Amino acid sequence: MKLIRTTSAMADWSRRLHREGVTIGFVPTMGALHEGHRALIRAARLACDAVVVSIFVNPTQFGPTEDLAKYPRQLRLDRALCAKEGVDAIFAPTAGAMYQPGFQTIVSVPTLARLWEGEARPHHFQGVATVVAKLLSLVQPDISWFGQKDFQQAALVRQLAKDLNLPGTLRVHPTVRERDGLALSSRNVYLSAQQREAAPVLYRALQAGAAAIRGGERRGAFIQRLMAHVVKTERSVTPEYLAVCDPSTLEPLQTIQRHAVLLGAVGLGTVRLLDNMPVTIRPKS
Ligand code: PAF
């Protein structure tokens, strides 16, 4: 397995593989790899001849008061996981290699970045869009994989790739969960034992919302209140947003027609947890 540290070596490697007719699958990550990443890598392994995983804690997507400095970094463990999964190359550039002195181009996807995580984390999605545009340009993948856990990010990256004609197709892989429903995230390591116990309440809230929709409820505001009510059963958990949205625009839905996504973010002390649940109403036959 190759460890690539510079942008030019990354671009050269991809060019060489493409010349040889090899298809490239790409899994962009910030490292601290877990079972959710493993699922993306396995999907890439199945679909493409060669797999590249990028490991880059992208400074431009963190706000000034966020966890950039303490974000888990464990390249040795990540390399071992990748080697075990048959990854062909890890692209782990330094921040200096990705953002050279004088760097000034910022990519923004303003409408999809407006609500939810965009409100809670100003500039976060500009950082994500900019780095994803750079990564896709460097890696030139045939297919890249993103996790559904970050639903808004996946929607925004889809729009970005379409608008800028970025290379390859994009696949979104279903969220991988712990047995009690907690969505896997590199940030779950921040949870204390007590917080970890309370954390699955977000998943239960989304499940309650989805069950109400399947039971015939169509009013967005009602489902939103129901989810908030479930979250409040855990007193240590603060609801940030619990929303019923159109899955393409991410705008709140007053009335659900056919497709919706339930989006949620909660706080546990200083830790924020995100999750979501897409729901489709099947027409009665
Ligand atoms: O989801 C992530 O890990 C990051 O936001 C991504 C897509 C790798 C960009 O830094």
Side-chain angles (χ1 to χ4, degrees):
M1 187 178 66
K2 209 171 159 55
L3 178 64
I4 302 175
R5 288 294 201 175
T6 67
T7 53
S8 56
M10 183 65 249
D12 288 348
W13 188 85
S14 292
R15 220 175 286 124
R16 185 172 57 74
L17 262 63
H18 280 313
R19 256 199 319 267
E20 292 167 2
V22 172
T23 58
I24 300 177
F26 177 43
V27 180
T29 82
M30 298 209 297
L33 303 181
H34 51 63
E35 289 303 311
H37 296 114
R38 197 196 295 274
L40 304 184
I41 294 170
R42 288 190 172 167
R45 188 61 294 152
L46 275 176
C48 294
D49 301 325
V51 176
V52 186
V53 174
S54 66
I55 296 180
F56 178 58
V57 183
N58 172 36
T60 65
Q61 68 188 76
F62 288 77
T65 59
E66 292 180 0
D67 55 343
L68 173 62
K70 73 164 190 173
Y71 194 83
R73 288 164 172 86
Q74 46 171 60
L75 187 58
R76 218 162 48 85
L77 287 173
D78 291 346
R79 279 177 80 170
L81 183 147
C82 288
K84 197 158 163 243
E85 292 303 325
V87 167
D88 298 272
I90 291 180
F91 177 42
T94 59
M98 286 296 271
Y99 300 108
Q100 292 192 0
F103 185 93
Q104 49 179 303
T105 304
I106 294 296
V107 182
S108 120
V109 188
T111 307
L112 280 169
R114 190 173 62 87
L115 295 171
W116 320 123
E117 284 308 287
E119 267 182 330
R121 305 180 69 189
H123 309 304
H124 167 68
F125 282 128
Q126 284 189 1
V128 171
T130 304
V131 81
V132 170
K134 282 172 72 67
L135 289 168
L136 293 180
S137 305
L138 286 165
V139 175
Q140 295 282 317
D142 291 279
I143 312 177
S144 37
W145 276 264
F146 290 81
Q148 189 202 287
K149 200 216 109 207
D150 296 300
F151 193 94
Q152 189 172 9
Q153 169 173 281
L156 184 132
V157 168
R158 205 182 277 289
Q159 186 70 43
L160 162 77
K162 179 168 174 249
D163 290 351
L164 296 188
N165 307 105
L166 293 173
T169 53
L170 205 134
R171 293 199 188 154
V172 178
H173 196 278
T175 305
V176 179
R177 299 180 181 282
E178 302 279 7
R179 289 168 77 98
D180 58 9
L182 176 65
L184 295 194
S185 160
S186 303
R187 288 189 167 98
N188 289 352
V189 296
Y190 299 152
L191 297 169
S192 69
Q194 253 177 352
Q195 289 170 332
R196 172 62 190 83
E197 214 169 287
V201 75
L202 175 56
Y203 176 64
R204 290 201 300 275
L206 297 171
Q207 272 187 316
I213 298 169
R214 283 195 296 271
E217 181 57 59
R218 296 291 177 266
R219 294 166 297 170
F222 180 91
I223 295 155
Q224 200 182 345
R225 279 199 302 277
L226 175 69
M227 293 192 291
H229 179 75
V230 175
V231 168
K232 279 196 198 120
T233 60
E234 282 290 352
R235 289 182 47 197
S236 58
V237 180
T238 322
E240 244 186 55
Y241 59 79
L242 291 153
V244 183
C245 302
D246 179 309
S248 338
T249 64
L250 305 185
E251 295 290 330
L253 283 174
Q254 271 186 6
T255 310
I256 302 167
Q257 306 288 348
R258 194 169 149 120
H259 300 285
V261 61
L262 309 179
L263 297 180
V266 297
L268 285 100
T270 57
V271 189
R272 293 181 73 242
L273 297 180
L274 309 189
D275 204 347
N276 64 81
M277 201 169 282
V279 189
T280 296
I281 298 165
R282 311 250 164 249
K284 288 202 178 88
S285 50

